[in-house]
């Protein structure tokens, strides 16, 4: 299954953030991907390979 995503997409990850929200906005794409928690605003940067493994689905553009 090909998971396609773009900048500003909101995605659901497999595990929720400690703040209780499981929605993240993609704010940087490249070899590394930076995402922002839509609940508390926490920023996380991870390699694309790890992001692909941890992402569940794209919720909206």
């Amino acid at each position: 299954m090909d998971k396609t995503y773009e900048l500003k997409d909101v995605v659901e990850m497999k595990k929720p953030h400690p703040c209780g929200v499981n929605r993240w906005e993609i704010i940087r794409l490249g070899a590394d991907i930076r995402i922002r928690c839509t609940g508390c605003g926490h920023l996380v940067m991870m390699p694309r390979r790890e992001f692909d493994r941890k992402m569940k689905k794209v919720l909206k553009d």
Side-chain angles (χ1 to χ4, degrees):
M1 183 171 110
D2 185 29
K3 299 177 182 178
T4 58
Y5 43 85
E6 297 178 7
L7 201 60
K8 302 292 183 189
D9 282 354
V10 176
V11 297
E12 181 179 341
M13 303 302 275
K14 290 182 180 175
K15 293 185 178 179
H17 191 249
C19 74
V21 177
N22 199 13
R23 298 166 59 92
W24 297 80
E25 180 185 4
I26 300 173
I27 58 172
R28 181 186 184 276
L29 288 174
D32 294 324
I33 295 179
R34 181 170 285 206
I35 55 178
R36 176 187 300 132
C37 177
T38 59
C40 65
H42 183 79
L43 296 174
V44 176
M45 182 175 268
M46 64 180 73
R48 184 179 286 263
R49 178 179 234 156
E50 181 181 346
F51 178 80
D52 288 340
R53 196 175 69 242
K54 291 183 175 184
M55 185 183 79
K56 192 171 184 180
K57 63 183 174 180
V58 177
L59 298 173
K60 64 179 181 179
D61 296 337

